[in-house]
Structures are given as C-alpha cells and as structure tokens.
Amino acid sequence: QVQLVESGGGLVQAGGSLRLSCAASGRTSSVYAMGWFRQAPGKEREFVAAVNWNGGATAYADSVKGRFTISRDNAKNTVSLQMNSLKLEDTAVYYCNADRYYRYPSPGDSWGQGTQVTVSS
C-alpha cells in the first residue's frame, strides 16, 4: 500500500517548462521503481518515464527523451519529472506510478490521482 500525490501541473506555453513532483507515503519500503504516465483526451494512457528506486537507472518514452528528466530523492520519498521544451502534444493528465518490480512501460501497483498539464500555443 503506497499513496502517491502529484503536484506541479498547470498551464504553460509551448517551449516552456514545468516540474512535476510526486510524494510517496505508506509502505514505501516495497517500492522498487517509480514512473510517470500520461493520458491525453481520447487517447490511451502511455508511459512517459521511469526510474529505478535504488540504482537510479532511468528510461524514457521516445516522444519525451531529451526533453524530460525523471529523478528521485530516496530520503524524501519523492519523484520528479522536469519537463522542458514542452509541446502542444504534451498536454495530458500526468500520473505518478509506483511498482514493487520494474514492469514499465506496463504500469506498476499504485497510482496517484493525476495532475493536469496544459500546453498552449
């Protein structure tokens, strides 16, 4: 049982940046990896990025590689997603995810409620 709370979403112009944060609580000792997914209106939820909790290895979807950076702070039980050079197609609800294993790009065990990111022209 892990609770996840996202923050940092909002409205930003194309080319701008946002930083999303996810705070984990509960049975965080069971977390092996965490990631971010997003879902745009009318589309399937898709994998964005993931990080190994202990080793720190990262993985990214091709659509965001080079623009987004995922990071974790084990001491604070938080994961962040720095989003740069945002595009209109990045508009979506972004969800934090935690897993007992590393199953990404498939989702893990726990979800946050999501935070809206809207990129405008």
Side-chain angles (χ1 to χ4, degrees), residues 36-90:
W36 289 92
F37 291 73
R38 67 185 183 185
Q39 187 167 18
K43 295 186 177 181
E44 298 290 327
R45 189 171 298 185
E46 65 176 350
F47 169 76
V48 175
V51 60
N52 182 289
W53 195 247
N54 296 121
T58 58
Y60 299 92
D62 289 341
S63 59
V64 306
K65 191 172 185 179
R67 299 187 298 119
F68 291 11
T69 302
I70 188 170
S71 60
R72 90 271 196 250
D73 187 331
N74 299 60
K76 296 181 179 180
N77 291 320
T78 59
V79 170
S80 297
L81 185 69
Q82 179 66 45
M83 305 184 295
N84 298 326
S85 301
L86 284 161
K87 304 175 180 179
L88 293 177
E89 49 265 45
D90 294 320

Side-chain angles (χ1 to χ4, degrees), residues 9-10 13 47-48 50 55 71 81 97 99 103 111 118 120:
Q13 286 189 306
F47 169 76
V48 175
S71 60
L81 185 69
N97 183 265
D99 201 1
R103 294 178 281 195
W111 290 102
T118 302
S120 64

